[in-house]
Amino acid sequence: MFGWCVFVSFSEEKVTVLSLQEMKRVGRKIVMLTAYDYPTALILDEVGVDIVLVGDTLGMVVLGYETTLPVTMEDLLRHCQAVRRGVKRALLVADMPFMSFNVSEEKAIENAGRLVKEGGAEAVKVEAGQVTERAIKAISGAGIPVMGHVGLTPQRIHALGGFKVQGRNVEAAREVIEEAKRQEEAGAFAVVVESVPWQVGKVITEELEVPTMGIGAGVYCDGQVLVLHDMLGLFERFLPRFVKRYANLKEEIKKAVLKYKEEVVEGRFPDKEHSYEMPEEEVKKFLG
Ligand code: KIV
């Protein structure tokens, strides 16, 4: 009964970095998805997704790049603005593109500030790397909430040698766990944990006070995140083991487009129902 009440009140209230900490405290799982445009942002918010991330996966699933590396601040800003118009309840988080936070602390604060000021984001996300903790400290010190990201971090794809599961042996697992702890210490309000064995996701979740958002990190994380186009069946270049397809929208869209094509070619579209009609008295004058 108590758990149900918590769920109802969390479902109605605006999500903030504080309510996310409370969700972890009471064991209410946090639901997070990516979005890149206004119509899908509206749907996610209507359904009650807690965190909407304008991820730099934008580059792969929407812009058609091979990796996330070419995504620019301008790309992220434009899509964040569109998503902002559709999101009311969820916490809106914007990913910081490759090299937008790594060059200097000043640049990191400046770019995070743009995502909030111009993009309408309420928080930003940074991926793990040599300078990430400094960036988290600087950005959160400037009053902008920062989400961390450990494990498989696609902005390091060349250093990691591909999209590979991380933390598979004890030493590598310890490194991922330590990295998550450092991000929390630096001020992260939550940490995404990507592509690690579930045992590693569980230890990180137990050791951090802030919520963990798992993507391929097992069921013990405080919440789960997926890339929208992966779970809807709209991106098929590759399908990691952790992606569950909840729909096959590519097939649905293909069926609709094919039907439209046939009806246009056969002259069956538009029919009377989808055409405008001139009033009868006008028709007489018009046609003589
Ligand atoms: O860019 C993105 O979509 C992400 C998620 C995979 C968490 O970082």
Side-chain angles (χ1 to χ4, degrees):
M1 177 65 185
F2 178 69
W4 184 79
C5 291
V6 167
F7 184 75
V8 168
S9 79
F10 278 136
S11 302
E12 287 162 359
E13 280 169 15
K14 168 81 189 111
V15 180
T16 66
V17 293
L18 294 182
S19 55
L20 293 172
Q21 314 303 316
E22 186 58 9
M23 287 180 202
K24 172 159 183 152
R25 199 184 65 77
V26 300
R28 150 72 154 78
K29 292 278 187 183
I30 302 165
V31 184
M32 173 169 165
L33 275 174
T34 65
Y36 315 96
D37 59 37
Y38 172 71
T40 49
L42 271 182
I43 296 170
L44 267 45
D45 209 51
E46 273 173 33
V47 169
V49 168
D50 300 309
I51 305 176
V52 173
L53 169 70
V54 186
D56 64 355
T57 40
L58 163 74
M60 296 176 75
V61 302
V62 175
L63 302 179
Y65 295 129
E66 288 292 317
T67 68
T68 58
L69 304 186
V71 174
T72 64
M73 275 296 294
E74 304 314 315
D75 293 332
L76 226 299
L77 278 168
R78 173 56 63 91
H79 286 268
C80 195
Q81 287 159 352
V83 171
R84 173 72 283 168
R85 294 180 201 113
V87 168
K88 300 267 178 298
R89 175 188 165 274
L91 184 81
L92 178 56
V93 182
D95 231 347
M96 296 202 66
F98 180 56
M99 287 300 144
S100 68
F101 61 93
N102 329 53
V103 176
S104 70
E105 286 158 50
E106 288 74 21
K107 209 74 199 135
I109 297 173
E110 187 182 314
N111 284 326
R114 286 192 71 196
L115 290 167
V116 173
K117 250 182 141 158
E118 298 170 44
E122 292 156 318
V124 298
K125 178 170 83 57
V126 292
E127 291 190 9
Q130 287 288 311
V131 295
T132 301
E133 285 100 51
R134 270 194 281 145
I136 292 176
K137 210 167 177 180
I139 298 166
S140 61
I144 298 171
V146 191
M147 182 179 271
H149 188 157
V150 299
L152 172 59
T153 45
Q155 290 181 10
R156 288 194 290 183
I157 181 173
H158 297 312
L160 299 175
F163 295 104
K164 293 182 178 157
V165 179
Q166 303 296 303
R168 287 193 103 144
N169 59 51
V170 176
E171 201 185 321
R174 284 210 182 110
E175 267 174 42
V176 179
I177 294 164
E178 288 310 312
E179 198 150 38
K181 285 193 198 163
R182 286 198 302 272
Q183 292 191 358
E184 176 178 64
E185 268 165 40
F189 72 91
V191 177
V192 169
V193 184
E194 178 165 351
S195 288
V196 297
W198 65 262
Q199 292 89 342
V200 179
K202 184 167 186 280
V203 169
I204 295 176
T205 303
E206 285 164 359
E207 300 218 348
L208 295 198
E209 281 180 27
V210 298
T212 54
M213 302 306 305
I215 173 162
V219 75
Y220 295 100
C221 293
D222 297 304
Q224 297 294 326
V225 52
L226 281 177
V227 171
L228 188 71
H229 289 51
D230 285 342
M231 58 92 78
L232 293 181
L234 276 173
F235 182 75
E236 23 176 54
R237 209 174 330 132
F238 57 85
L239 189 71
R241 177 190 168 112
F242 62 74
V243 173
K244 179 169 177 185
R245 283 233 166 111
Y246 287 84
N248 192 346
L249 286 199
K250 181 173 175 189
E251 278 316 305
E252 290 302 309
I253 293 172
K254 268 175 92 171
K255 266 194 251 163
V257 173
L258 198 63
K259 189 148 198 289
Y260 166 72
K261 181 183 158 195
E262 281 167 9
E263 291 191 3
V264 169
V265 169
E266 291 165 13
R268 289 191 288 124
F269 178 83
D271 52 14
K272 278 213 152 183
E273 192 190 336
H274 297 95
S275 303
Y276 298 106
E277 192 116 31
M278 211 180 235
E280 212 148 296
E281 58 280 14
E282 292 299 314
V283 176
K284 280 186 202 136
K285 281 189 261 168
F286 185 60
L287 298 178

